[in-house]
Amino acid sequence: MSSSKETEGAAVPASSKGSWASFLKSMASFNGDLSSMTAPAFILSTTSLTEFSAYWAEMPSLLVAPADEKDKQRRAMLVLKWFLSTLKQQYATRNEKLGSEKKPLNPFLGELFLGKWVDHTGETQLVSEQVSHHPPVTAYSIWNKSKGVRLQGYNAQKASFGRTINVKQIGHAILHIDEFDEDYLITLPSLHIEGLITGSPYVELNKSTYIISSTGYTSRVDYSGKGWLSGKKNSFTATMFPNGKEKDVIYTVEGQWSEKFEIKDAHKRLVESYNAKAQPKTPLQVAPIDEQHPLESRRAWKKVADAIQRGDMDATTAEKSLIENQQRSMRKEEKESSREWERAYFTKQDRHELFEQLSRHIPGGEIDSDRTNGIWFFDANKAAKHYDY
């Protein structure tokens, strides 16, 4: 088994500043989804978006911690703590490791990313699959069988350019804890890219996200970030309260999601503190590339990733075109024979009753299934062919 990928580059090199300026100008005049634009080689990532699902669980002990807590208020707080701990992993680690945020590879329909984490909590499994290409949608399931904890969800991104790159994330995640037969609906933050002018892009979150529990609690996270004159990068405040009773605050959380934050109770007493940089991460284990299925991300994109590493844009374009043309051919054949691509782990449904029940507590909480090509569920029957699920 191999661990996560190595450093793949840095911020925009001085020799490429002119190309970067030209790219920014082309973005400003571009109409449509920015994900379809061809970016300069120095800003391309060797990582596909299907791998991003792994950021939910790089600290499995925090993911499963609520399962060991008997008090339902504290369980809801621990779910909030875990969610906040994932933000650095999801939105800041690439910038810190690579020198700047990179444009990820756009997954093809049917692309898979499979792995697991092994620590004192047991095995935590990951399945991530590209379930739609137009619009692009990634679905995922993460589970720890010994702790009875399961996270599943799906998401799409819509990118546009205003004064910066703005990304609206469409979709949601649901965390289920078997021991208490309870669920937590998690919405996804909107984000924008800072540092474009300087050539060192990084993610900043904005607006609000919610966690709604089936046991009657809401957590709201408000993102602020650094302003022109004041504020700190990646800042946020969060409150937890009974559903519909926002003034009856049970816990508050404040700090920077990429640095440190503190959790306090209703009497402003410190309950827990968290240091994102000090929290140990568990390495994700994936099969060696030559043992992976041809549809698995790192095997499928290997030649493209190698070309990006070399800075060979011609080879990058050629290898990407081979994959894209093959996909177009497959879609054409399916259309001509009135077939649809069979998803390996997920199934599309028309309704999501649990989402409908919990989302009533979210302002404007809609499922937006028309923007994700349906509502995607992890299919345990399909998974049973590959896992002891």
Side-chain angles (χ1 to χ4, degrees):
M1 305 290 278
S2 60
S3 60
S4 57
K5 305 178 86 169
E6 298 179 353
T7 299
E8 60 186 56
V12 178
S15 61
S16 300
K17 294 292 185 181
S19 298
W20 179 245
S22 297
F23 180 59
L24 291 180
K25 289 179 181 178
S26 65
M27 278 197 299
S29 60
F30 185 78
N31 291 318
D33 189 343
L34 289 176
S35 64
S36 63
M37 285 191 71
T38 300
F42 52 77
I43 205 65
L44 288 177
S45 171
T46 62
T47 304
S48 167
L49 270 173
T50 55
E51 293 199 30
F52 284 29
S53 304
Y55 293 128
W56 284 108
E58 292 191 319
M59 294 164 287
S61 61
L62 295 182
L63 170 67
V64 304
D68 293 327
E69 174 57 57
K70 302 301 181 184
D71 181 81
K72 65 179 184 179
Q73 285 191 358
R74 280 192 58 84
R75 277 201 306 278
M77 180 272 288
L78 289 173
V79 171
L80 172 60
K81 176 187 174 183
W82 157 74
F83 169 75
L84 293 171
S85 77
T86 71
L87 297 178
K88 174 181 172 64
Q89 303 309 110
Q90 297 198 60
Y91 303 109
T93 51
R94 295 179 300 279
N95 174 60
E96 292 181 356
K97 290 177 182 177
L98 311 178
S100 73
E101 186 67 26
K102 305 288 185 179
K103 183 181 184 294
L105 297 169
N106 295 328
F108 55 83
L109 179 61
E111 183 176 328
L112 301 170
F113 185 68
L114 313 174
K116 66 179 181 180
W117 299 265
V118 181
D119 65 2
H120 67 279
T121 69
E123 280 193 0
T124 302
Q125 302 275 1
L126 163 69
V127 168
S128 181
E129 180 175 4
Q130 193 71 8
V131 293
S132 175
H133 187 63
H134 294 297
V137 180
T138 307
Y140 51 87
S141 182
I142 299 169
W143 69 94
N144 183 305
K145 189 174 182 180
S146 63
K147 290 292 186 178
V149 174
R150 303 194 305 274
L151 175 77
Q152 58 178 293
Y154 60 93
N155 65 281
Q157 296 87 23
K158 183 70 174 179
S160 60
F161 189 84
R163 286 178 293 181
T164 184
I165 298 174
N166 299 291
V167 181
K168 177 178 173 57
Q169 297 198 93
I170 306 160
H172 64 273
I174 292 181
L175 180 72
H176 179 82
I177 303 174
D178 288 346
E179 174 72 17
F180 308 103
D181 191 24
E182 64 188 20
D183 297 280
Y184 296 81
L185 170 64
I186 303 163
T187 66
L188 308 177
S190 296
L191 57 97
H192 62 275
I193 308 299
E194 296 282 2
L196 289 176
I197 302 300
T198 60
S200 299
Y202 68 90
V203 170
E204 189 66 270
L205 304 181
N206 50 46
K207 300 184 180 179
S208 303
T209 51
Y210 292 84
I211 304 173
I212 311 294
S213 79
S214 60
T215 53
Y217 300 104
T218 296
S219 292
R220 171 177 166 165
V221 185
D222 297 312
Y223 306 98
S224 54
K226 182 175 176 60
W228 285 101
L229 300 175
S230 63
K232 293 182 178 180
K233 179 180 175 181
N234 307 148
S235 296
F236 76 93
T237 58
T239 55
M240 180 183 135
F241 48 88
N243 291 347
K245 299 180 179 179
E246 197 161 352
K247 293 183 178 180
D248 298 339
V249 174
I250 303 169
Y251 292 103
T252 61
V253 193
E254 191 169 8
Q256 294 169 270
W257 49 261
S258 58
E259 298 282 345
K260 300 177 181 179
F261 59 79
E262 293 184 338
I263 303 173
K264 296 181 179 179
D265 64 16
H267 303 289
K268 302 196 182 300
R269 294 177 299 210
L270 181 65
V271 176
E272 291 197 33
S273 58
Y274 179 80
N275 185 335
K277 293 187 174 180
Q279 182 69 31
K281 315 302 183 294
T282 301
L284 173 66
Q285 299 179 13
V286 299
I289 287 180
D290 59 358
E291 296 178 17
Q292 292 181 13
H293 189 280
L295 294 179
E296 289 190 60
S297 291
R298 294 186 185 177
R299 179 171 175 178
W301 291 105
K302 185 179 187 307
K303 291 182 179 180
V304 174
D306 289 347
I308 293 172
Q309 290 268 23
R310 298 193 305 269
D312 188 339
M313 197 57 185
D314 290 339
T316 299
T317 301
E319 294 295 344
K320 278 178 86 269
S321 295
L322 284 175
I323 294 174
E324 291 161 355
N325 291 335
Q326 182 184 39
Q327 288 294 308
R328 291 189 190 99
S329 177
M330 292 172 66
R331 301 292 85 80
K332 183 180 178 181
E333 290 177 11
E334 290 162 3
K335 185 175 181 180
E336 290 174 349
S337 58
S338 299
R339 290 183 295 111
E340 185 176 356
W341 176 263
E342 179 65 28
R343 279 69 176 178
Y345 292 95
F346 294 85
T347 299
K348 181 164 56 174
Q349 297 184 18
D350 295 328
R351 290 190 63 190
H352 196 325
E353 293 182 5
L354 180 59
F355 179 93
E356 293 170 7
Q357 173 190 341
L358 296 179
S359 64
R360 292 177 299 170
H361 303 287
I362 304 173
E366 298 177 353
I367 204 158
D368 280 337
S369 58
D370 58 325
R371 302 174 72 178
T372 55
N373 194 21
I375 303 168
W376 297 96
F377 289 82
F378 184 71
D379 192 322
N381 291 327
K382 292 180 176 180
K385 299 175 184 177
H386 311 280
Y387 294 92
D388 179 18
Y389 184 77

